[in-house]
Amino acid sequence: MVAVAAPEKVLVTGANGYLAAWVVKKYLEAGYAVRGTVRSVAKSAFLKDIFAEYGDRFELVVVEDITKEDAFEEAVKGVSAIAHTASPFHYNVTEPEELIVPAVKGTTSILDSALKHGSAVKRVIITSSNDPAIEEVRVKGKGAGPPVFYLASKTLAERAAWDFVSTHQSEISWDLCVINPAWIFGPSLGPAPNVDDINASQRQVYDTLFGAKTGPQLVEHGSWVGVADCAEAHVRATYTPAAGGERIITRKGSFYFQDILDAAAELGITDVSRGEPGCQNDVPLGFVLDTTKAERLLGMTQMATLKDIVTASVKDFRARGYPGLTA
């Protein structure tokens, strides 16, 4: 097992993404140099602006199509670690394969490039999922919907990664660590001028606050983690030797969507929905994700609370001028 310490260089794929931009930020704050991949310079200009203080410790390279063979051939050269967060997600799909195929191909593409051209690579960190969506896609097919397609794509891409490592164990010079986050909530670092531009998971917070979720939707539940804490887990997985070969669940706690509104009320935020206080009291949470590895291996014990997330999210929504908020 190895560790990659600052100031070594890390490759972050899809660097302009919701989570990935935070991963870049956390790496830079920890003293690493970062090379980020983006599909186009135009859509990632904000990264150069927000990370300008780090000078030449931060660079961007364009990888237009992550599914192509040797797409990352040049990008992996000279980096000591890779954080692969890039995975396509959008709602303009009707078939699960439209998200699953590029997610799997993108993952195997970067691992193949690391094998062939990443002579300095010592650790690869992949962002996966915790949701058992594959079975839902199998049963419902395209009726499962794009968010479920996406979760399934992340899980299948992770499986492909472990298969790749198993197949090429005698050839690779690096080990693999997978971060398995719960729902990721918290402000975006990137531009989102309109509500429809909000990242899909953070959009759940906005919709809850402003009444788009009602009735049974308020007692829907799951596990969550703050976006900054999830990004921090990627950094710690890079410099922690024992993280190699592990799947690490990253979660702060369990929640009902009504809990978001209850937190807002306790914080004195008045210009949001109140929902139906108490509606979750008799609804069991179901299974709870085991965060032992994150705590024991990465020391992830002090994380943002739901109140912290609601406070930061409302502040961010107000700063962006979204409808439904007063200063």
Side-chain angles (χ1 to χ4, degrees):
M1 296 180 182
V2 298
V4 177
E8 295 192 64
K9 182 174 288 187
V10 180
L11 177 69
V12 178
T13 65
N16 58 322
Y18 169 60
L19 171 62
W22 276 96
V23 172
V24 171
K25 175 180 171 65
K26 289 292 185 177
Y27 273 127
L28 290 170
E29 289 176 347
Y32 288 87
V34 177
R35 176 183 297 156
T37 74
V38 294
R39 292 181 62 187
S40 72
V41 173
K43 291 185 177 181
S44 55
F46 77 94
L47 293 171
K48 282 291 189 181
D49 292 336
I50 63 175
F51 299 133
E53 65 183 285
Y54 297 102
D56 60 7
R57 279 178 49 210
F58 176 62
E59 61 179 292
L60 288 174
V61 295
V62 174
V63 178
E64 293 181 352
D65 184 353
I66 67 172
T67 68
K68 287 185 177 179
E69 185 176 356
D70 285 334
F72 296 98
E73 176 180 350
E74 294 301 320
V76 300
K77 293 178 179 178
V79 302
S80 299
I82 298 169
H84 179 54
T85 68
S87 191
F89 177 62
H90 53 88
Y91 284 95
N92 189 30
V93 293
T94 57
E95 299 288 344
E97 289 75 15
E98 294 178 70
L99 293 182
I100 291 172
V101 172
V104 172
K105 284 188 174 180
T107 297
T108 54
S109 173
I110 195 162
L111 295 181
D112 191 55
S113 289
L115 170 62
K116 294 177 179 176
H117 311 289
S119 59
V121 176
K122 291 177 279 189
R123 175 155 295 169
V124 177
I125 300 103
I126 289 180
T127 314
S128 184
S129 171
N130 268 306
D131 198 284
I134 296 173
E135 180 63 14
E136 188 172 351
V137 171
R138 188 189 68 78
V139 173
K140 297 182 179 179
K142 60 184 177 183
V148 179
F149 299 167
Y150 172 72
L151 292 171
S153 77
K154 297 292 284 185
T155 301
L156 290 168
E158 179 192 342
R159 289 184 182 179
W162 289 117
D163 287 346
F164 185 97
V165 170
S166 178
T167 300
H168 298 281
Q169 190 65 60
S170 63
E171 306 166 70
I172 59 177
S173 59
W174 40 266
D175 59 14
L176 177 66
C177 175
V178 175
I179 299 296
N180 301 86
W183 280 89
I184 303 175
F185 296 147
S188 171
L189 295 178
N194 303 302
V195 170
D196 288 342
D197 299 317
I198 302 174
N199 163 270
S201 60
Q202 181 66 348
R203 177 64 185 265
Q204 299 294 320
V205 176
Y206 181 88
D207 286 348
T208 302
L209 289 169
F210 297 105
K213 290 184 181 294
T214 57
Q217 294 172 315
L218 292 173
V219 295
E220 291 178 357
H221 53 272
S223 295
W224 71 276
V225 65
V227 63
D229 291 322
C230 186
E232 177 66 21
H234 286 70
V235 177
R236 296 188 184 193
T238 305
Y239 64 68
T240 302
E246 298 286 355
R247 302 179 75 247
I248 301 176
I249 293 172
T250 309
R251 163 193 176 271
K252 167 57 181 177
S254 301
F255 78 104
Y256 304 89
F257 282 101
Q258 178 63 42
D259 291 339
I260 294 174
L261 300 179
D262 292 347
E266 291 174 19
L267 289 164
I269 301 171
T270 59
D271 51 348
V272 297
S273 171
R274 285 289 171 261
E276 301 172 25
C279 65
Q280 72 273 50
N281 290 349
D282 297 320
V283 180
L285 275 170
F287 68 90
V288 175
L289 298 172
D290 184 359
T291 59
T292 302
K293 285 185 184 178
E295 296 166 4
R296 175 171 52 84
L297 298 178
L298 306 184
M300 299 295 295
T301 56
Q302 301 296 317
M303 303 168 74
T305 66
L306 195 59
K307 283 186 179 180
D308 294 332
I309 294 298
V310 170
T311 299
S313 296
V314 168
K315 180 180 179 180
D316 181 57
F317 296 152
R318 282 181 174 144
R320 295 175 190 272
Y322 291 157
L325 285 155
T326 57

